[in-house]
Amino acid sequence: MYLIIVYDIKVERVNKVKSFLRQHLYWIQNSVFEGEATKSEFNIIVSGLIDLINTDEDSIIIYKLRMEEAMQREILGIEKSPIEGIL
C-alpha cells in the first residue's frame, strides 16, 4: 500500500516523530511523509507513532492508497524533496 502521513504534533515531540517516520517513509516536506509499506510495516509505523504522541494533544492523519487504483501527484511551486520513480 502507498501511505501519505501528515501530522500536527506539539513542538517537544516533532523531532522524535520525524526521526521515526524517516526510518520508514520519505520526508516530503514539513509534517508530510509518503511511501510504500507492507501491511506489517504499516502496523509497525502505527504502533510506533502511538507510542510517541500524546493522543490528547497531537494529530496524525494517514492516507492509505492502493497502487492498482489510479493516483496522480501534482506539485505546485517548488518540490522540496523529489521522489522520481516512487509512484
Side-chain angles (χ1 to χ4, degrees):
M1 76 186 80
Y2 197 82
L3 302 177
I4 299 172
I5 298 179
V6 295
Y7 58 85
D8 186 9
I9 305 289
K10 290 281 186 172
V11 70
E12 58 267 15
R13 289 180 291 278
V14 167
N15 286 333
K16 288 182 182 180
V17 169
K18 183 172 75 170
S19 295
F20 173 76
L21 286 173
R22 287 183 94 162
Q23 297 172 39
H24 302 282
L25 301 168
Y26 295 95
W27 184 34
I28 302 305
Q29 58 180 216
N30 293 344
S31 304
V32 180
F33 283 80
E34 65 181 63
E36 285 283 337
T38 65
K39 179 72 172 164
S40 63
E41 290 170 331
F42 173 75
N43 292 336
I44 290 168
I45 291 169
V46 169
S47 99
L49 289 172
I50 289 170
D51 289 343
L52 292 172
I53 68 168
N54 179 332
T55 56
D56 294 328
E57 298 179 334
D58 302 325
S59 172
I60 296 176
I61 299 171
I62 301 172
Y63 298 93
K64 295 191 295 187
L65 302 130
R66 285 182 261 161
M67 293 308 291
E68 55 271 4
E69 296 174 10
M71 182 181 87
Q72 294 182 354
R73 185 172 186 263
E74 184 174 332
I75 287 57
L76 303 175
I78 63 169
E79 186 172 10
K80 292 185 177 184
S81 184
I83 57 169
E84 287 82 21
I86 290 180
L87 297 180

